[in-house]
Amino acid sequence: MEKIRILLVEDDPVWQHALAAYLGKQPDFCLVHAAATKEEALSIFQQAEVDVVLMDIVLTPGKYDGLDAALDMLRLKPAVKMMMLTSVEDSEVILDAFTAGAVNYIPKTKYEKLPEAIRQAHQNVTVIPEEVAGVILGELHRLRQSELQQRITSMEKEILQLLAQGYTRSGIAEYLQISTNTVRTHIRHIMKKLGATSGQEAAQIAKRKGLF
């Protein structure tokens, strides 16, 4: 059986010993090395054949130098699967980890999920823990909402609000003191941007997406 070669990077000696022992019980795992610092990890990484790296984000108190180490490693060997194993559950740090190239982010409280997560990562399959997935989905929603906010002009937002309140096109024209043709043009642009088939549907979509 070809074993999955793992590099563990963990500064806490208690966690390092416990994780090394836990991973060592898996018949299809080969723990290449357990490093405690960024420098040690990079040195071993450049010399050894590694399939998966388990990286703690905080290797020096007060610093997220595990992220720096992950970036350096992935520049050297982009095919390596980088997995973050950490007690840091800050949403910004989680997002930074995936931006750096991590394929998964496992809280230390969920360490029992490691063996299966490692096997999945090695097979190019990733099942992200629920609490981490929530952070990612929240960020995707925020980015999508921000993108829509930038695409919809202030006049279009006002027209959407009036449509949602039940105003007709002529009523909107009178309220905004613009021509009905101008209102019609704005609504046509709005429908195209939001993928709607009518002004009312566009208003419903905009409200659902939090545009007003």
Side-chain angles (χ1 to χ4, degrees):
M1 182 196 329
E2 187 176 345
K3 296 192 175 186
I4 302 172
R5 296 163 296 189
I6 301 166
L7 171 60
L8 171 63
V9 188
E10 169 60 62
D11 67 309
D12 185 317
V14 175
W15 266 106
Q16 187 189 98
H17 179 76
L19 289 169
Y22 183 59
L23 296 173
K25 294 178 182 177
Q26 307 301 318
D28 53 338
F29 289 178
C30 170
L31 184 62
V32 174
H33 189 79
T37 67
K38 173 185 173 182
E39 293 73 23
E40 180 188 3
L42 284 169
S43 176
I44 296 298
F45 184 77
Q46 291 179 71
Q47 299 172 40
E49 291 296 324
V50 176
D51 299 309
V52 177
V53 177
L54 290 182
M55 178 71 71
D56 186 8
I57 283 183
V58 180
L59 300 175
T60 306
K63 294 183 179 180
Y64 296 139
D65 44 354
L67 287 177
D68 296 331
L71 280 167
D72 290 342
M73 288 179 178
L74 289 170
R75 286 193 193 103
L76 292 168
K77 301 178 185 178
V80 164
K81 302 299 185 295
M82 184 66 59
M83 297 178 59
M84 298 300 184
L85 176 68
T86 179
S87 56
V88 179
E89 297 187 33
D90 179 90
S91 59
E92 287 297 320
V93 177
I94 291 172
L95 293 170
D96 285 346
F98 283 103
T99 302
V103 298
N104 213 330
Y105 192 107
I106 310 291
K108 284 182 177 175
T109 53
K110 308 285 186 181
Y111 73 91
E112 72 279 358
K113 296 179 180 287
L114 270 178
E116 189 58 27
I118 290 170
R119 293 182 185 107
Q120 289 170 341
H122 186 56
Q123 295 167 2
N124 295 313
V125 176
T126 297
V127 180
I128 296 172
E130 185 178 342
E131 58 270 36
V132 175
V135 171
I136 296 171
L137 290 173
E139 178 65 7
L140 288 174
H141 176 71
R142 187 195 68 77
L143 290 172
R144 180 61 176 156
Q145 195 173 43
S146 175
E147 179 189 349
L148 285 172
Q149 289 281 6
Q150 292 172 12
R151 288 170 56 195
I152 303 294
T153 67
S154 56
M155 174 64 79
E156 289 169 347
K157 286 177 190 175
E158 195 164 4
I159 290 173
L160 282 166
Q161 287 177 307
L162 293 170
L163 284 169
Q165 292 169 27
Y167 278 73
T168 62
R169 295 184 181 188
S170 58
I172 292 171
E174 183 178 350
Y175 184 90
L176 296 176
Q177 297 185 334
I178 57 178
S179 72
T180 304
N181 281 337
T182 300
V183 173
R184 189 177 293 112
T185 299
H186 278 303
I187 291 176
R188 189 164 59 248
H189 290 162
I190 291 167
M191 288 165 55
K192 186 176 180 180
K193 289 177 181 180
L194 296 179
T197 57
S198 69
Q200 283 301 320
E201 184 186 3
Q204 292 170 4
I205 292 171
K207 189 173 183 179
R208 190 168 65 246
K209 292 182 178 297
L211 295 178
F212 62 83

